[in-house]
């Protein structure tokens, strides 16, 4: 057998792998590090400029900012086919970021690849496994104890394979990236759907599944369908109670949860300069809720100011030299153009149950009364990866100070989640945290917490109808507290604070009055706060673990009896035949997000153990046959039972199965467990009206067939008791539909067509059984 190092070299040649940051040999005007944590990894604006010039000459037209950054990272800018919405691009991202819940599976897959080190700078961030219960310090100590095995695995895997490790308590991945790693023109992929947060610093930052991250860490060109570009022209300027959050809440109402699918949303226009850098990040972050590939703002002075304040003035100076490549060309073309006048924009609040149901704050009370939504606000929650910046906390504190001056505290419960250790330490030093505590708030750990369901909520019982208001990004049914009757609304931190003081959805801070303890009425003034601290940021505690230069002595332990970690076994290869007599596990009715397919909350503890976490498969999806969640008919026994149990029964008896889904199937989180679980339990295809981008890619990576009805009306032809045969796999080619024969119990049959978006590489993944299997084939 060839030496291991030779096998790695062969794999890299076969897959077109670049040498470790080969671009670093290019002559640059200045050598500037991407991050002070990686002093020998440089920003490659020269290569970006070179690639942009090649593509500009080929296309002979002005380029959008999105195109400049994406095409500037092409593996083959001279030969790559480029057509928006059609071509599959082969890209070379600059770095990878993973949060702890998704990093477990990503690192398990990387370990399975057999490669010795990551090929691009990569980091792990511990933010998802800390449950909000009593308050910051106590909750953090508890999380470290409960999750010790997982944190140890991630820390040792990072040390062995060259990945930086941000310890629990560091903060939320996207805030850490904005503070330390994002920069104008970067192409960054992250294993979390809110990775687009980095667009607030002018980068193209895209959420992906763990298998995509493994490709990039292995040094393999990363594939992305060439995005369309939606332009959002901002005019006017923000003022008063209107905040950056209102921009994306308004855009979400226009585009809906799937309107951005397959596109990058590019903000531009004179209104951009009235928004802070962290405000731009807020807007880009929540762009995930419209299905966008990512969102981005052009480089400007607000970004330069933020870079300088976070210790990266050298990056800002270098960006100034290359600024022409970090803004859109005049006269560039957008596939769709939306205009928002910031001067006319009013504060918004979106929800419940979906982030695109937009209402002006002034009207939501009347709508709630009409719809029967609870008006009484039980809890107000500020923070999250979307709104936990210094400016956010300052504006909330400005509202709180006014109420305190009149003797008031919150009528609702109130929680505060700092975005990072740096934010926590700075708002403690500058007094914001104490003001919010004085109002009745509890400062939680620097983590995701209630936003992702990590909330040990005690004030209500499950099934009790209630309303909460958050500055988070998602408000799907049961997401925050596992209670399907919680009506969650999304708005800005300052509006959350005002509503928590008033205690009702009927309160409009722009026009309504509060009554102080002295009996006098007063109106809250629009909040004003610094976008950045006057003094330098307080970094707080050092929570970063550098990977050692020599990792030869590092060892990664995964106990075979562990209930939280499990080494991966390869999935079976395609047998070369059409898929005959597939049983329908469930025909899903309506919205089916990745929360419905693979719930978070208490299930997060099993993210590193594929078999255990598969016990949550599709437990939140609504079965069209009976209108219930987690109740499907077993086609053999005819008994109704939980979805995972039925899937395991089918797997045990060699029955292959399929899921039928509705529109935008798999929207929401990037979690690849929503693809791994059905594959593990015997699924062969997922057939829907349409897919969310990340989930469709995740399914392909795991050897499944994500297929769509050529005629969406054919969804109605399939019944849960039918069996399906998918034909045409022997001649599986890009662009060619597959046939599906529907076999009804009465003996009749119908034939429909199923579309797909597979290219040649993705077809190889299917044939090999998964993308990881294909990588191993090439290695051999």
């Amino acid at each position: 057998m060839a030496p291991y190092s030779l096998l790695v070299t062969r794999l890299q040649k076969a897959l077109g792998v670049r040498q470790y940051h080969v671009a670093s040999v290019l002559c640059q005007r200045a050598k500037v590090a991407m991050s002070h944590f990686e002093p020998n990894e440089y920003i490659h604006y020269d290569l970006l400029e070179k690639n942009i010039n090649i593509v500009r000459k080929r296309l002979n037209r002005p380029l959008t900012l999105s195109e400049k950054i994406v095409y500037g990272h092409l593996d083959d800018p001279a030969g790559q086919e480029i057509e928006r919405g059609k071509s599959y691009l082969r890209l070379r991202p600059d770095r990878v970021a993973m949060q702890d819940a998704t990093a477990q599976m990503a690192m398990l897959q990387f370990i399975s690849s057999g490669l010795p080190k990551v090929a691009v700078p990569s980091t792990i961030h511990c933010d998802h496994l800390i449950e909000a219960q009593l308050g910051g310090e106590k909750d953090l100590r508890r999380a470290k104890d409960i999750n010790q095995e997982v944190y140890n695995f991630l820390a040792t895997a990072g040390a062995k394979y060259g990945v930086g490790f941000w310890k629990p308590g560091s903060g939320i991945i996207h805030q850490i990236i904005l503070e330390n790693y994002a920069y104008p023109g970067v192409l960054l992929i992250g294993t979390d759907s809110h990775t687009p947060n980095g667009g607030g610093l002018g980068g193209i930052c895209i959420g992906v599944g763990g298998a995509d991250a493994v490709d990039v860490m292995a040094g393999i060109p990363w594939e992305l369908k060439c995005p369309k570009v939606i332009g959002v022209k901002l005019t006017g300027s923000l003022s008063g109670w209107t905040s950056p959050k209102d921009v994306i809440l308004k855009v979400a109402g226009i585009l809906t949860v799937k309107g951005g699918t397959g596109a990058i949303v590019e903000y531009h226009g004179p209104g951009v300069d009235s928004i802070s850098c962290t405000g731009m990040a807020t807007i880009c972050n929540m762009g995930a809720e419209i299905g966008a590939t990512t969102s981005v703002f052009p480089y400007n002075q607000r970004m330069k100011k933020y870079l300088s304040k976070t210790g990266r003035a050298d990056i800002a100076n270098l960006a100034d030299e290359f600024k022409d490549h970090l803004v859109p060309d005049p006269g560039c073309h957008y596939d769709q153009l939306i205009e928002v006048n910031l001067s006319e924009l009013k504060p918004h609040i979106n929800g419940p149950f979906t982030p695109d149901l937009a209402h002006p704050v002034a009207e939501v009370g009347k709508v709630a009364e009409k719809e029967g939504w609870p008006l009484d606000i039980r809890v107000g929650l500020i923070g999250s990866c979307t709104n936990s910046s210094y400016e956010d906390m300052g504006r909330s504190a400005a509202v709180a100070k006014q109420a305190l001056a009149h003797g008031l505290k919150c009528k609702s419960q109130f929680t505060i989640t700092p975005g990072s250790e740096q934010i926590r330490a700075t708002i403690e030093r500058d007094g914001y945290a104490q003001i919010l505590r004085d109002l009745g708030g509890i400062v939680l750990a620097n983590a995701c917490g209630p936003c992702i369901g990590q909330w040990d909520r005690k004030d209500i019982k499950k099934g009790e109808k209630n309303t909460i208001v958050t500055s988070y990004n998602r408000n799907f049914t049961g997401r925050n507290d596992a209670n399907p009757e919680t009506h969650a609304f999304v708005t800005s931190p300052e509006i959350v604070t005002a509503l928590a003081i008033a205690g009702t959805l009927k309160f409009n801070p722009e026009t309504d009055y509060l009554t102080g303890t002295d009996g006098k009425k007063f109106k809250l003034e629009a909040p004003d706060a610094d976008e950045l601290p006057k003094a330098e940021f307080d970094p707080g505690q050092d929570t970063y673990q550098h990977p050692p230069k020599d990792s030869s002595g590092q060892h990664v332990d995964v106990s075979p009896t562990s209930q939280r970690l499990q080494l991966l076994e390869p999935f079976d290869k395609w047998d070369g035949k059409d898929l005959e007599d597939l049983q329908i596990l469930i025909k899903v009715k309506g919205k089916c997000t990745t929360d419905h397919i693979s719930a978070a909350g208490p299930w997060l503890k099993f993210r590193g153990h594929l078999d255990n976490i598969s016990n949550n498969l599709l437990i939140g999806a609504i079965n069209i046959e009976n209108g219930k969640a987690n109740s499907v008919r077993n086609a053999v026994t005819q008994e109704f039972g939980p979805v995972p149990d039925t899937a395991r029964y089918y797997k045990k008896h060699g029955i292959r199965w399929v899921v039928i889904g509705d529109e935008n199937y798999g929207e929401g989180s990037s979690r690849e467990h929503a693809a791994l679980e059905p594959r593990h339990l015997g699924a062969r295809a997922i057939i829907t009206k349409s897919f969310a981008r990340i989930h469709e890619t995740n399914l392909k990576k795991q050897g499944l067939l994500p297929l769509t009805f050529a005629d969406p009306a054919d969804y109605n032809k399939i019944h849960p008791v039918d069996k399906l045969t998918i034909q045409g796999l022997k001649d599986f080619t890009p662009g060619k539909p597959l046939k599906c024969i529907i076999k009804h119990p009465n003996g009749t049959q119908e034939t429909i067509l199923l579309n797909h978006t597979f290219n040649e590489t993705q077809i190889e993944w299917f044939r090999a059984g998964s993308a990881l299997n294909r990588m191993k084939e090439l290695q051999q």
Side-chain angles (χ1 to χ4, degrees), residues 311-385:
R312 294 174 288 170
D314 52 348
I315 294 179
N317 293 333
L318 186 63
D320 284 342
E321 292 186 47
F322 287 86
K323 185 173 181 180
D324 287 349
H325 302 304
L326 305 174
V327 297
D329 287 339
C332 63
H333 171 71
Y334 295 104
D335 296 283
Q336 181 180 351
L337 186 61
I338 297 168
E339 186 166 331
V340 177
N341 185 336
L342 301 180
S343 299
E344 298 175 356
L345 185 63
K346 289 292 186 180
H348 272 62
I349 182 168
N350 287 23
F353 306 127
T354 184
D356 59 345
L357 186 57
H359 322 275
V361 171
E363 299 174 12
V364 71
K366 291 179 181 178
V367 176
E369 283 185 316
K370 179 183 176 183
E371 298 294 335
W373 303 332
L375 292 171
D376 176 54
I377 298 170
R378 299 295 292 267
V379 191
L381 306 99
I382 66 170
S384 84
C385 65

Side-chain angles (χ1 to χ4, degrees), residues 67-189:
E67 291 181 305
K68 287 182 180 182
I69 301 175
V70 172
Y71 304 162
H73 286 82
L74 284 170
D75 183 52
D76 178 17
Q80 169 73 60
E81 180 187 358
I82 300 171
E83 186 176 357
R84 288 187 197 169
K86 293 188 178 180
S87 309
Y88 275 90
L89 307 179
R90 289 164 60 86
L91 302 168
R92 295 290 189 178
D94 296 300
R95 66 180 311 117
V96 172
M98 299 168 281
Q99 41 95 334
D100 50 355
T102 51
Q104 295 171 62
M105 196 57 68
M107 292 308 296
L108 286 166
Q109 290 177 86
F110 187 82
I111 291 169
S112 295
S113 76
L115 295 172
K117 288 277 187 182
V118 296
V120 299
S122 304
T123 51
I124 294 168
H125 304 259
C126 295
D127 63 357
H128 270 57
L129 300 178
I130 302 169
E131 185 180 50
Q133 189 180 65
L134 301 173
E137 291 184 10
K138 292 179 181 178
D139 292 346
L140 180 58
R141 284 198 301 269
R142 179 169 172 265
K144 287 180 177 178
D145 181 54
I146 292 172
N147 302 308
Q148 182 179 7
E149 179 186 16
V150 171
Y151 291 147
N152 180 64
F153 166 73
L154 293 174
T156 55
K160 183 168 183 63
Y161 296 104
V163 179
F165 180 70
W166 287 86
K167 301 172 187 176
S170 301
I172 305 173
I173 176 173
H174 312 301
Q175 184 69 28
I176 297 291
I177 289 171
L178 200 72
E179 293 172 352
N180 299 283
Y181 298 116
Y183 60 83
V186 70
L187 178 59
L188 179 152
I189 69 165

Side-chain angles (χ1 to χ4, degrees), residues 232 246-256 265 267 290 338 340:
V232 179
D246 297 308
V247 177
I248 185 58
L249 295 176
K250 176 72 172 179
V251 171
I254 294 169
L255 288 175
T256 77
V265 179
Y267 293 86
I290 57 175
I338 297 168
V340 177

Side-chain angles (χ1 to χ4, degrees), residues 489-759:
F489 294 83
V490 176
T491 186
S492 67
E494 52 265 46
I495 294 293
V496 172
T497 306
L499 292 176
I501 293 166
T504 174
L505 278 180
K506 293 189 74 174
F507 181 70
N508 176 12
E510 289 191 302
T511 59
D512 296 344
Y513 286 80
L514 295 167
T515 302
T517 53
D518 59 3
K520 295 180 180 179
K521 292 186 178 297
F522 71 98
K523 190 156 72 79
L524 294 170
E525 298 296 325
D528 185 33
D530 295 329
E531 64 180 282
L532 295 165
K534 288 184 172 64
E536 297 304 310
F537 276 108
D538 183 339
Q541 299 179 40
D542 181 6
T543 55
Y544 179 71
Q545 173 187 290
H546 288 270
K549 291 182 180 179
D550 181 7
S551 63
S552 58
Q554 294 292 328
H555 187 66
V556 182
D557 281 324
V558 177
S559 168
T561 61
S562 171
Q563 293 301 300
R564 299 203 53 183
L565 296 165
Q566 181 185 47
L567 292 174
L568 296 174
E569 295 291 332
F571 290 131
D572 58 307
K573 290 182 63 172
W574 175 56
D575 62 8
K577 302 175 182 178
D578 288 337
L579 299 174
E580 300 279 348
D581 293 330
L582 296 173
Q583 188 65 56
I584 296 169
L585 176 67
I586 183 173
K587 182 180 179 182
V588 177
K589 178 183 178 181
K591 185 186 284 285
C592 190
T593 71
T594 48
D595 281 289
H596 294 90
I597 304 167
S598 176
W603 292 96
L604 285 169
K605 62 179 173 285
F606 297 126
R607 284 286 183 86
H609 197 292
L610 179 54
D611 193 58
N612 281 345
I613 199 170
S614 293
N615 288 322
N616 76 1
L617 175 67
L618 286 160
I619 61 176
I622 300 301
N623 180 9
I624 200 170
E625 186 175 6
N626 58 11
K628 295 181 179 180
N630 202 25
S631 175
V632 295
R633 184 194 301 271
N634 183 314
V636 179
T637 67
Q638 294 301 306
E639 295 177 353
F640 280 86
V643 183
D645 293 358
T646 307
R648 288 187 186 278
Y649 180 95
Y650 289 161
K651 180 179 181 180
K652 180 179 178 180
H653 292 84
I655 300 169
R656 298 184 295 185
W657 51 267
V658 62
V659 171
I660 307 299
D662 211 318
E663 294 275 7
N664 205 33
Y665 184 89
E667 70 173 273
S669 169
S670 67
R671 67 193 65 158
E672 66 179 342
H673 298 76
L676 283 159
E677 291 175 35
R679 182 71 166 98
H680 174 63
L681 294 185
R684 284 297 178 264
I686 312 292
I687 305 171
T688 72
K689 293 180 183 177
S690 63
F691 286 97
R693 174 191 63 84
I694 300 176
H695 186 60
E696 181 179 15
T697 301
N698 286 345
L699 291 168
K700 292 177 182 178
K701 286 279 185 177
Q702 303 307 333
L704 281 161
L705 290 172
L707 307 171
T708 56
F709 297 105
D711 179 357
D714 287 343
Y715 169 87
N716 298 316
K717 293 181 179 178
I718 297 177
H719 304 286
V721 293
D722 295 336
K723 289 188 177 182
L724 307 180
T725 292
I726 299 174
Q727 296 181 333
L729 293 174
K730 293 179 181 178
D731 300 314
F732 196 11
T733 55
K736 184 179 179 181
L738 299 172
K739 285 185 179 180
C740 177
I741 299 173
I742 306 169
K743 300 179 180 179
H744 302 300
N746 62 7
T748 61
Q749 296 185 2
E750 296 181 76
T751 300
I752 61 174
L753 293 179
L754 301 175
N755 290 335
H756 64 86
T757 59
F758 281 79
N759 62 21

Side-chain angles (χ1 to χ4, degrees), residues 458-514:
K458 302 291 189 183
D459 64 300
I460 60 162
K461 296 179 180 178
K462 190 168 183 178
E464 182 180 342
K465 197 173 180 180
N466 75 104
T467 285
I468 64 173
V469 179
T470 82
S471 70
Y472 301 165
N473 41 52
R474 292 198 175 126
N475 54 354
F476 302 139
T477 303
R479 177 176 172 86
N480 302 125
D481 61 2
N483 180 11
E485 289 300 324
T486 293
H487 293 55
F489 294 83
V490 176
T491 186
S492 67
E494 52 265 46
I495 294 293
V496 172
T497 306
L499 292 176
I501 293 166
T504 174
L505 278 180
K506 293 189 74 174
F507 181 70
N508 176 12
E510 289 191 302
T511 59
D512 296 344
Y513 286 80
L514 295 167

